[in-house]
Amino acid sequence: MYTKKRLALPFLLPGLAGILLFYVVPFFGGVWYSLTDGSFENAFVGFDNYLKVWQNPMFQLGLRNTMELSAICAPSLFLLSFLLSLILNRIRPAGRLFRSTVLLPYLMPSSAVLIIWLLWFDYGGPVNHLITLLGGQRVAWLQGSELRVPVVLLFLWKNLGFCVIIFLAALQAIPASLYEYAELEGASFGRQAFSITLPLIVPSAFLVFILSFVNAFRIFKEVYFIGGAYPEEPLYTLQNYMNNMYGKLNYQNVTTAAYSFAVIVFALFGLLFFLQHRAQRGLN
Amino acid sequence: MKHENRTGNRLFFLMLCGLMTAWLVCCAAPALASTGDRTVLQADNGDGYSTAYVQDLMVEGRKIYLYMTGSVPNFRVYDMDTGETTVYDMTALQEKLRDTEAEENRTEDGDPATMDIAAWFDWNGEIYAILTRSYSRNGFSQMEGGFVRRLVLSDGQMDLEACELPRLDWSEMLEDGGDWTYSRYVSDHATVGDTLALSCFGDNGEMQLHLFNLQTGETEEREIQDLNDFTPGPDGKLLIARYKWSDTPEMLLELYDMERDEGEPFARYAVESGSIRAVAYREETDTLYFIRNGEIFAAPGRDLENAQSVNDCAIASSGVFTPLTEDGFLIVYGYEGVMLRNTDPAARGSTTIRIRPYSWSEGYNLAYYAFTESHGDIGVVQEDYGDETALLQAMMNQDDRVDIYILSSDSSVYGAVYERGFMGDLSGDEKLVEAVSQMYPMARETASRDGKLVAVPLGLSGESVAYNQKAWEDLGLTEEDVPRTWDQLLDLMETLPEKLAGTAYRAFDFYYTQEGIRGELLMQMLRNYALQHPDESFSEPALQRLTDRVARIDLETLGIFTEEEMETAESRYEELGGMKTALLSINSNPGLTIYDQDTQCLPMAFTAEEQPILPVTMVMAFMNPFSRHPAEAMAYLECLAEHLDLATEYALHEELNEPVRYPDHEEQRKSMEDWLATMKESMASGEDAPSNIRTIVEEIEKELKDFDETHWMLSPAAIRAYRDRAAYLVPARFSFWSQLYGDENGEAFSTLWAGFLKGQKTSGELLSFMDQKIRMMRLEGN
């Protein structure tokens, strides 16, 4: 047994070397950057950069906006994709067609989609036209905090398909006999969803939830296309801050902001793992 | 035992002598080594004003002939063996050529005429000039040309004499405008055998090549597409340079057979690698030499892409080609100077320092000339201007390739390197510390960090609103009327239509449009606001009110046209009072310049209680902290500090108050006096309409009367005015406009700005955009 392990080592080495070189070293390199002052002397400054960055109003704004947008986008994406996958799983004759088309937005380049999106949400665009037809007032969607609405919708539209596919895969893996048995026992649709479907798809649902958050944290491309490096305040995300700092070659602030955010994300995901573990145990 | 001791002592003594000799040789060798590089001529003497510029250069044997034009034209002959220059005065020749009465100048029909030198060329060891003749027929100017004269140099005078060469057929060089004719400007010349090649520009800006047979005078025009320059080539052919402008632009060198009108490829160069100039060819080694990015390269086998650096050269050469001497020296020349640079890499200086300028300063070349003369063993590569954003990246990578950087103080990159301390400490250099300590406090502060000297100021300039002192007084305005706040300036502008009515003055220069004035005023106002109120929002009601005032100010009643109206107004320039002197100017330089007019820059504030300011930008030179040659770099910085151009020197040093005359002051006075005498003679002879001549005479007399008072390079009044405003100068540490226009939001801002100036956008929209962006940038920090 011991001999076999030693034999495996040479095969693992290239991969491990790659991980070491391209992940571990840059990771610790970044940590080192965040602990130095970036000046000519490049002095070690401990956590000064962290204190400075955390106190920076633009970092705070970016972090707040990123968290807010994520808090809106991730649960919305999760719920919508779950509901849509349930529906698609039920549609039998044309299910395959819908399942394929739902992934299309994910494959389309954001810049191309954004043009259409901006036209729709223009002050004189179809969305406002519809609102006025319904008796409402036009909204300046592309200004101020209202700009978040098209951005969130674009995010949902773009990422929905991918999450639906994961959910569908999980749903289709559930044996049909379980539902047949439940129906014979007189279980309603809701009862089936919460007693059969949900417990069996928790691992996939958790994955979708995590992915939704990860994607929501990275909501930047759309914002950047609309507002550039300095968009309106409600849209300024942490990625804007890091991108601008990178443009100014302030690697210290980039790495400090990145690691600070990583700590928050890890803490959040740790909590989610804990909750998932508890939920899974309860459902089992 | 004693004997052994003596032998030991001798051996020790001999060893000591040997070591001393070796040490001396090692130390002295670099100093004794000579690169042979030398300055033949430095036309720019540091005041940004030259009395003569290099117009043409020819080489005959070991002599370089320079034709200098300007207010004091002359001919210079530099002997490459002795290093001596002899100057030959051109005054007498000029008078002779301009003498309309001279028999040799008259046309064949006997019309009085003047002669001009159209081109020079060298042939069979002699220098020749081609003359054109100008005369008037039926009130229209006429020209003819092709008269060849030989250059005669003797007793410090230059002259032209008749020679055996026939008159050249100049008809192809003349532009016929129906009633008038003029000769095209000759841009280049080369002599190959008995053929003289001249080039000029055609109607569409294309370069035309004309070949003259020097034995018969016959001419032939050749069409060579994309021709840029030419020089004598091997095998009696012309070496020509053509630029092909396409997606991948390239320069093609071809050997042009003049007899067969055919070109054969010689070398090619992809322009993307950086433009090249001063190309020369050595047939014996089949090597092409050229200058790129401040260095001389040698390309054996004519392989320009894989050339090796052999020396440095900061002078910008005028054309593509330049002569190469037999002993391997490139004769590099531009308008401002001539240098001999060795192409032998073995003779190159022991150390080479590299300078990368991102910002221009008048003093660069002065320091380069001075340094290369005094530090022959140190090469200086002065690179072309580049993209400054690469600087910070270089610092992060501890790049030691460049020794000195030159940047504007308002550049964000300067701010970043300053803040992060990527500037070599110059405090150990006593000369530099001493030089900077004598400058104004604003310059010292910009050049210092944490009490250490880190940079050397090289220039100071800016833009501000100004008024014409004489006009101000003539209009009855006093010192008390001088506006100190933006509101007061706008108040003044509102009263101007009344004040200017019926006077010889107008509010602004004719060519300023309404949009231009509004834009410039607004730009300066907002820039000042950003400097004076760094922590305040642009959306403050007070600023919004002022912005609205600028937008609403009635410029139409001040006789200013819109951009649209200007297209037709230009044709009615005189009728619309375009000749009148402007009372106000909107982009005067608050720094000191030799072309300082009688203008007073206006330091401005936003309230009466606030200290008014005049923002300026400073050009700063600093040493790369990672430089491998700190001693040499500091020596060069010393040289830069010592060789500031005149205006900058005065602008930075408070104690310099001695006014400075133009170097050709006396010559210009004499020229005016001569002109006056000629005019008076004409008036007395009654040849022309007397009333016209009387007016001209009166004007010259008036000008001559004021000449000594007004003809200053740095006048007492200009210096005094500068000293008065120096207290208000504030070096900007960030470029407000480049921040707004700089990135992805630049286009949006540009559209918004144009919309505001056209009244399509409100001040609120404009200011909130600026507020958002500038405030975010500031809050982010560097």
Side-chain angles (χ1 to χ4, degrees):
Chain A
M1 194 69 181
Y2 177 72
T3 318
K4 278 182 185 172
K5 274 186 182 174
R6 276 182 60 179
L7 271 174
L9 205 60
F11 295 102
L12 286 173
L13 261 179
L16 287 174
I19 290 170
L20 188 76
L21 199 65
F22 297 111
Y23 288 90
V24 180
V25 171
F27 180 84
F28 286 105
V31 171
W32 170 248
Y33 261 121
S34 73
L35 300 174
T36 57
D37 69 355
S39 71
F40 168 58
E41 289 89 9
N42 207 26
F44 178 79
V45 290
F47 289 98
D48 281 6
N49 288 333
Y50 286 87
L51 286 174
K52 200 175 77 184
V53 166
W54 290 342
Q55 283 164 2
N56 186 287
M58 293 313 287
F59 173 79
Q60 290 170 0
L61 175 72
L63 184 64
R64 194 169 57 241
N65 284 343
T66 303
M67 298 309 272
E68 281 175 13
L69 283 167
S70 304
I72 299 165
C73 291
S76 311
L77 185 63
F78 179 81
L79 280 175
L80 280 172
S81 54
F82 180 59
L83 289 174
L84 194 62
S85 57
L86 281 179
I87 296 164
L88 287 176
N89 198 35
R90 292 229 155 196
I91 302 170
R92 288 295 169 192
R96 192 172 291 169
L97 176 72
F98 282 116
R99 284 195 292 272
S100 307
T101 49
V102 86
L103 199 63
L104 273 179
Y106 192 74
L107 305 173
M108 289 175 77
S110 296
S111 53
V113 176
L114 195 73
I115 296 168
I116 301 162
W117 217 256
L118 289 177
L119 284 173
W120 281 8
F121 282 91
D122 190 66
Y123 198 68
V127 175
N128 269 343
H129 191 63
L130 189 68
I131 291 171
T132 49
L133 278 178
L134 296 170
Q137 292 286 318
R138 286 184 184 205
V139 181
W141 296 111
L142 302 180
Q143 278 174 23
S145 54
E146 281 76 10
L147 196 50
R148 278 186 176 186
V149 176
V151 168
V152 169
L153 289 177
L154 178 63
F155 172 81
L156 292 176
W157 178 78
K158 198 161 166 47
N159 292 284
L160 198 63
F162 186 68
C163 296
V164 166
I165 295 294
I166 298 173
F167 268 129
L168 272 173
L171 288 171
Q172 283 167 6
I174 301 171
S177 55
L178 286 177
Y179 292 106
E180 285 164 11
Y181 184 73
E183 266 177 33
L184 286 172
E185 290 290 322
S188 65
F189 174 75
R191 180 74 178 163
Q192 286 178 34
F194 282 94
S195 298
I196 302 171
T197 314
L198 202 58
L200 290 172
I201 63 157
V202 160
S204 300
F206 181 71
L207 177 69
V208 170
F209 199 65
I210 294 289
L211 282 176
S212 304
F213 262 107
V214 168
N215 284 332
F217 285 146
R218 287 164 46 207
I219 188 164
F220 172 66
K221 215 166 22 178
E222 296 81 3
V223 171
Y224 192 78
F225 283 145
I226 294 173
Y230 295 94
E232 297 215 25
E233 276 193 18
L235 276 190
Y236 182 91
T237 65
L238 203 56
Q239 283 273 352
N240 280 102
Y241 178 80
M242 289 194 273
N243 205 48
N244 294 343
M245 282 295 134
Y246 178 78
K248 293 171 185 175
L249 296 182
N250 193 330
Y251 298 159
Q252 276 62 35
N253 281 9
V254 176
T255 49
T256 305
Y259 288 112
S260 302
F261 187 57
V263 168
I264 296 168
V265 172
F266 285 144
L268 190 70
F269 285 176
L271 181 71
L272 287 173
F273 268 112
F274 175 71
L275 291 176
Q276 186 247 347
H277 192 65
R278 292 270 307 262
Q280 184 78 57
R281 257 201 324 205
L283 287 165
N284 285 341
Chain B
M1 192 69 181
K2 205 173 179 180
H3 176 73
E4 275 177 17
N5 266 351
R6 199 176 293 157
T7 315
N9 283 345
R10 274 182 193 160
L11 272 171
F12 178 72
F13 179 73
L14 279 170
M15 270 174 64
L16 200 66
C17 283
L19 278 170
M20 287 285 284
T21 315
W23 181 78
L24 272 170
V25 168
C26 290
C27 292
L32 295 171
S34 173
T35 58
D37 294 338
R38 51 203 185 271
T39 303
V40 174
L41 172 83
Q42 182 190 342
D44 180 2
N45 52 12
D47 44 29
Y49 182 91
S50 187
T51 53
Y53 295 95
V54 181
Q55 178 72 27
D56 208 342
L57 180 143
M58 284 150 286
V59 183
E60 271 299 334
R62 295 288 297 160
K63 285 180 177 160
I64 300 172
Y65 293 81
L66 300 170
Y67 173 48
M68 311 288 296
T69 55
S71 58
V72 189
N74 56 62
F75 220 88
R76 285 163 189 253
V77 181
Y78 177 79
D79 190 319
M80 284 187 266
D81 293 325
T82 62
E84 282 174 9
T85 302
T86 317
V87 182
Y88 297 92
D89 187 28
M90 200 180 164
T91 318
L93 175 63
Q94 264 190 323
E95 279 174 14
K96 195 168 124 182
L97 295 174
R98 283 181 193 162
D99 185 1
T100 50
E101 297 304 311
E103 201 54 43
E104 62 268 32
N105 291 353
R106 285 182 178 272
T107 63
E108 284 170 11
D109 298 336
D111 295 320
T114 58
M115 304 290 267
D116 286 291
I117 298 166
W120 293 93
F121 66 93
D122 53 305
W123 183 65
N124 287 352
E126 302 272 8
I127 306 288
Y128 296 87
I130 304 173
L131 303 179
T132 53
R133 178 182 280 152
S134 307
Y135 59 98
S136 175
R137 187 161 290 170
N138 303 326
F140 291 100
S141 173
Q142 306 292 327
M143 277 182 109
E144 53 189 23
F147 307 100
V148 183
R149 301 282 185 271
R150 186 190 291 115
L151 175 71
V152 181
L153 300 168
S154 65
D155 300 330
Q157 295 291 321
M158 62 183 282
D159 199 3
L160 296 172
E161 63 175 19
C163 62
E164 70 286 1
L165 289 178
R167 181 181 168 188
L168 305 177
D169 177 2
W170 205 248
S171 54
E172 295 291 327
M173 298 292 284
L174 294 174
E175 173 70 12
D176 192 351
D179 295 324
W180 47 264
T181 51
Y182 77 90
S183 178
R184 293 184 195 275
Y185 173 75
V186 177
S187 55
D188 281 307
H189 63 82
T191 321
V192 182
D194 286 341
T195 305
L196 168 66
L198 295 182
S199 64
C200 63
F201 291 99
D203 295 334
N204 302 319
E206 81 286 4
M207 190 178 264
Q208 295 176 345
L209 180 66
H210 297 268
L211 302 178
F212 295 88
N213 186 322
L214 291 172
Q215 298 294 353
T216 63
E218 287 169 353
T219 181
E220 221 180 308
E221 188 185 335
R222 294 286 168 83
E223 271 184 33
I224 300 176
Q225 217 181 358
D226 308 316
L227 179 67
N228 191 279
D229 201 0
F230 52 86
T231 194
D235 307 327
K237 291 174 183 167
L238 209 57
L239 181 57
I240 62 170
R242 294 168 54 207
Y243 273 102
K244 296 209 80 163
W245 299 110
S246 58
D247 293 341
T248 50
E250 56 180 359
M251 189 182 80
L252 303 174
L253 294 184
E254 288 176 357
L255 269 186
Y256 179 68
D257 189 326
M258 292 179 284
E259 272 180 33
R260 297 164 63 189
D261 189 16
E262 273 178 8
E264 61 178 276
F266 194 68
R268 61 171 58 220
Y269 177 79
V271 180
E272 271 176 353
S273 319
S275 67
I276 63 170
R277 51 201 163 81
V279 178
Y281 177 63
R282 177 174 287 281
E283 200 175 346
E284 302 85 64
T285 55
D286 191 28
T287 303
L288 273 166
Y289 296 93
F290 63 90
I291 295 178
R292 182 179 63 202
N293 207 21
E295 284 180 273
I296 299 173
F297 288 83
R302 293 176 262 145
D303 181 5
L304 294 177
E305 307 293 341
N306 296 303
Q308 296 296 316
S309 170
V310 292
N311 203 349
D312 58 87
C313 186
I315 293 219
S317 183
S318 302
V320 172
F321 295 108
T322 208
L324 180 72
T325 65
E326 280 179 6
D327 53 348
F329 280 84
L330 210 58
I331 305 174
V332 189
Y333 70 104
Y335 287 112
E336 75 279 14
V338 183
M339 283 189 133
L340 283 172
R341 307 299 291 175
N342 205 337
T343 57
D344 178 6
R348 195 173 194 176
S350 54
T351 309
T352 298
I353 58 168
R354 192 171 279 272
I355 298 155
R356 188 171 292 170
Y358 295 111
S359 198
W360 183 80
S361 167
E362 192 87 55
Y364 289 169
N365 284 349
L366 304 175
Y368 180 77
Y369 284 121
F371 192 82
T372 48
E373 284 295 300
S374 59
H375 296 74
D377 58 325
I378 302 172
V380 180
V381 174
Q382 192 168 291
E383 294 184 353
D384 295 342
Y385 294 86
D387 172 19
E388 64 182 34
T389 51
L391 196 158
L392 205 52
Q393 184 74 59
M395 292 285 119
M396 304 291 289
N397 294 334
Q398 306 195 355
D399 190 344
D400 58 5
R401 216 168 62 87
V402 176
D403 300 283
I404 293 171
Y405 290 102
I406 299 172
L407 264 179
S408 282
S409 65
D410 66 348
S411 137
S412 58
V413 176
Y414 185 82
V417 282
Y418 180 90
E419 237 173 65
R420 298 188 209 175
F422 287 119
M423 295 166 120
D425 183 4
L426 308 174
S427 302
D429 190 310
E430 283 177 21
K431 276 189 187 171
L432 279 177
V433 172
E434 172 72 11
V436 178
S437 69
Q438 290 168 1
M439 295 178 182
Y440 272 109
M442 57 160 175
R444 293 204 301 267
E445 280 161 26
T446 316
S448 307
R449 183 180 186 269
D450 300 333
K452 288 177 183 167
L453 180 69
V454 290
V456 180
L458 301 181
L460 180 148
S461 63
E463 271 191 347
S464 77
V465 182
Y467 65 89
N468 181 305
Q469 180 73 50
K470 188 173 178 305
W472 193 262
E473 286 162 11
D474 287 354
L475 290 170
L477 293 162
T478 63
E479 192 69 24
E480 282 171 14
D481 298 315
V482 174
R484 282 173 50 87
T485 66
W486 291 99
D487 267 320
Q488 286 171 4
L489 176 69
L490 295 168
D491 290 344
L492 172 80
M493 284 170 68
E494 280 172 2
T495 63
L496 281 183
E498 196 185 320
K499 286 191 169 76
L500 294 169
T503 68
Y505 299 103
R506 48 183 296 118
F508 292 96
D509 186 66
F510 181 81
Y511 290 104
Y512 281 117
T513 61
Q514 290 185 15
E515 293 87 347
I517 291 171
R518 279 205 184 93
E520 191 65 40
L521 278 178
L522 199 56
M523 225 180 251
Q524 287 182 27
M525 192 172 82
L526 296 172
R527 176 202 58 191
N528 284 22
Y529 187 82
L531 273 170
Q532 285 172 294
H533 303 265
D535 302 322
E536 285 176 37
S537 156
F538 283 98
S539 306
E540 288 290 319
L543 185 66
Q544 196 159 335
R545 182 187 57 77
L546 268 174
T547 309
D548 283 331
R549 271 197 83 181
V550 174
R552 281 200 315 269
I553 190 132
D554 184 4
L555 293 169
E556 201 176 331
T557 47
L558 285 172
I560 313 293
F561 302 102
T562 61
E563 277 171 7
E564 214 172 293
E565 289 166 346
M566 186 54 88
E567 286 172 18
T568 50
E570 273 175 331
S571 58
R572 297 163 59 209
Y573 178 73
E574 277 186 44
E575 182 194 335
L576 296 168
M579 305 283 278
K580 288 183 175 179
T581 306
L583 173 70
L584 298 173
S585 80
I586 47 173
N587 44 15
S588 283
N589 184 356
L592 193 59
T593 65
I594 60 163
Y595 302 106
D596 225 339
Q597 299 297 308
D598 192 13
T599 51
Q600 300 287 342
C601 293
L602 288 170
M604 301 299 278
F606 286 86
T607 61
E609 296 76 37
E610 195 175 58
Q611 165 80 357
I613 62 161
L614 278 169
V616 285
T617 299
M618 298 192 72
V619 178
M620 310 296 288
F622 61 93
M623 186 174 73
N624 181 354
F626 307 106
S627 166
R628 278 176 294 161
H629 316 108
E632 290 83 359
M634 280 200 255
Y636 196 81
L637 285 171
E638 280 173 20
C639 203
L640 277 168
E642 277 170 26
H643 292 85
L644 298 171
D645 62 282
L646 188 77
T648 303
E649 201 177 3
Y650 270 62
L652 294 174
H653 296 90
E654 201 172 357
E655 76 284 358
L656 295 176
N657 288 300
E658 191 67 33
V660 185
R661 286 274 185 213
Y662 281 106
D664 55 351
H665 178 76
E666 290 307 319
E667 285 88 350
Q668 288 215 31
R669 164 177 264 284
K670 188 176 175 306
S671 162
M672 280 177 76
E673 283 168 349
D674 290 348
W675 189 24
L676 182 65
T678 314
M679 285 293 122
K680 278 183 173 171
E681 268 176 38
S682 296
M683 198 163 69
S685 66
E687 273 178 10
D688 212 332
S691 62
N692 284 355
I693 294 195
R694 192 165 295 122
T695 315
I696 295 170
V697 166
E698 281 168 10
E699 275 176 13
I700 302 172
E701 279 176 337
K702 188 173 173 292
E703 231 174 278
L704 204 52
K705 198 177 152 194
D706 300 336
F707 190 72
D708 282 340
E709 204 177 306
T710 57
H711 197 242
W712 291 96
M713 196 145 71
L714 287 176
S715 71
I719 297 171
R720 209 165 36 244
Y722 177 77
R723 298 283 169 243
D724 288 345
R725 67 176 177 262
Y728 302 105
L729 300 182
V730 176
R733 297 302 290 269
F734 65 92
S735 174
F736 181 69
W737 295 105
S738 63
Q739 284 186 348
L740 280 170
Y741 280 108
D743 60 21
E744 301 77 14
N745 296 105
E747 204 181 322
F749 178 71
S750 180
T751 313
L752 186 59
W753 182 259
F756 175 73
L757 294 179
K758 285 179 180 162
Q760 295 157 352
K761 297 279 178 187
T762 65
S763 58
E765 285 174 286
L766 177 76
L767 295 175
S768 85
F769 181 94
M770 289 173 59
D771 205 27
Q772 173 200 326
K773 196 169 171 204
I774 296 284
R775 207 166 57 84
M776 278 180 162
M777 277 182 167
R778 289 220 189 126
L779 287 173
E780 268 180 357
N782 262 329

